[in-house]
Amino acid sequence: MQSIKLYITILLISLLLAACSHERNEIMLLHLQQLDSVLDYNPEAIKDSLQQINISDLSQSNRVYHNLLKTIADDKTYFDFTSDSLINDVEKHLHRHQMGSEFHIRSLIYQGIVRYRMGVTDSTVFLPLKEAEKLYANLESTNPKIGYMLYYHLGSIIEDNGNAKHATNYYKKTLQMAEAEKNPSHVFDCTLVLFWNQMRVEEHDTAEYYLNQLEKYSRL
């Protein structure tokens, strides 16, 4: 009888601890989502907030989310990447558990970005972005914010590798994404990129069109 009471007590304590742990994980997930939502606007502050989080207290999924946000914040604050190990671990986990999700696509995009920022010039820069492009096209509902990052960096890498004409198609997709997300800053930046891209491929009439669009923005 005594042993049954002890077993029930242990079971109740275990259930209580599990419930508390689940609640903490949900609260932290909400916090990470809030940081994610403003990451583009104040990456320095988000980077500081992420540093205040004790990684060892996080569940595995929240740790992966945290490390994805850290990589993005580092990129947006011009961190000098010397290793891609962190984003590789993030991508590996998401490939295994959330294959094809927005999180997985973002991890592939930043896998390419980090390697590019490190000065890597082989196909290991390009392939994650092409994989992200394929997965993004398969999403039932696409997020233009993710599409903007994807197509912009594909265009940039292709242009830097000497194929400015092929990059044009990606820059045009980037502009479509910027317009879809209704982000004036992204629209302006992409229009500027398209202007210089068209000058580079000597499509001067098209370049003039984008220049006129830039002048309209400058008067707003």
Side-chain angles (χ1 to χ4, degrees):
M1 186 69 177
Q2 192 69 28
S3 61
I4 294 176
K5 287 183 178 180
L6 179 60
Y7 171 77
I8 293 174
T9 301
I10 293 173
L11 179 61
L12 290 173
I13 292 173
S14 299
L15 290 172
L16 180 60
L17 290 173
C20 291
S21 177
H22 177 75
E23 185 176 359
R24 284 197 303 272
N25 290 337
E26 289 297 312
I27 291 171
M28 179 52 68
L29 175 60
L30 179 60
H31 179 53
L32 291 171
Q33 289 171 338
Q34 290 170 338
L35 295 179
D36 194 0
S37 69
V38 294
L39 181 53
D40 285 346
Y41 306 104
N42 198 346
E44 283 282 2
I46 301 307
K47 189 172 180 176
D48 290 342
S49 295
L50 291 169
Q51 289 174 344
Q52 302 304 313
I53 297 173
N54 188 344
I55 298 290
S56 62
D57 291 339
L58 300 180
S59 65
Q60 185 178 34
S61 59
N62 281 344
R63 188 180 303 118
V64 168
Y65 193 5
H66 172 281
N67 289 339
L68 175 61
L69 295 183
K70 181 184 184 305
T71 302
I72 297 172
D74 282 345
D75 174 61
K76 291 183 180 297
T77 54
Y78 308 103
F79 178 75
D80 185 18
F81 290 103
T82 58
S83 170
D84 61 352
S85 59
L86 184 66
I87 191 61
N88 288 347
D89 288 343
V90 169
E91 192 281 325
K92 187 182 297 183
H93 176 89
L94 293 171
H95 178 89
R96 188 179 302 119
H97 299 285
Q98 296 186 47
M99 175 71 173
S101 67
E102 286 191 358
F103 283 134
H104 184 220
I105 292 169
R106 291 171 78 187
S107 73
L108 285 164
I109 293 170
Y110 277 93
Q111 194 173 50
I113 291 172
V114 168
R115 291 171 181 172
Y116 187 62
R117 290 273 310 278
M118 289 171 59
V120 178
T121 57
D122 61 25
S123 61
T124 59
V125 172
F126 192 62
L127 291 177
L129 289 161
K130 290 299 291 181
E131 178 66 15
E133 181 184 23
K134 182 176 71 174
L135 295 174
Y136 184 76
N138 289 333
L139 290 176
E140 290 186 8
S141 178
T142 56
N143 182 340
K145 182 177 175 181
I146 296 175
Y148 177 88
M149 291 297 298
L150 171 62
Y151 295 132
Y152 176 84
H153 286 283
L154 274 167
S156 179
I157 290 170
I158 290 170
E159 185 165 19
D160 285 351
N161 279 279
N163 197 339
K165 199 168 189 68
H166 182 45
T168 303
N169 296 326
Y170 282 109
Y171 288 144
K172 287 180 178 179
K173 288 183 178 181
T174 306
L175 181 58
Q176 291 174 353
M177 295 295 104
E179 291 171 340
E181 66 172 331
K182 299 179 181 178
N183 187 320
S185 176
H186 282 176
V187 171
F188 181 88
D189 290 346
C190 189
T191 303
L192 181 61
V193 167
L194 273 163
F195 165 72
W196 286 114
N197 169 264
Q198 293 301 282
M199 290 293 289
R200 189 171 180 179
V201 299
E202 298 184 350
E203 295 284 350
H204 296 120
D205 289 343
T206 311
E208 183 179 4
Y209 166 77
Y210 289 118
L211 180 60
N212 290 335
Q213 295 300 110
L214 289 169
E215 290 174 346
K216 288 179 183 178
Y217 282 111
S218 67
R219 293 195 294 268
L220 293 178

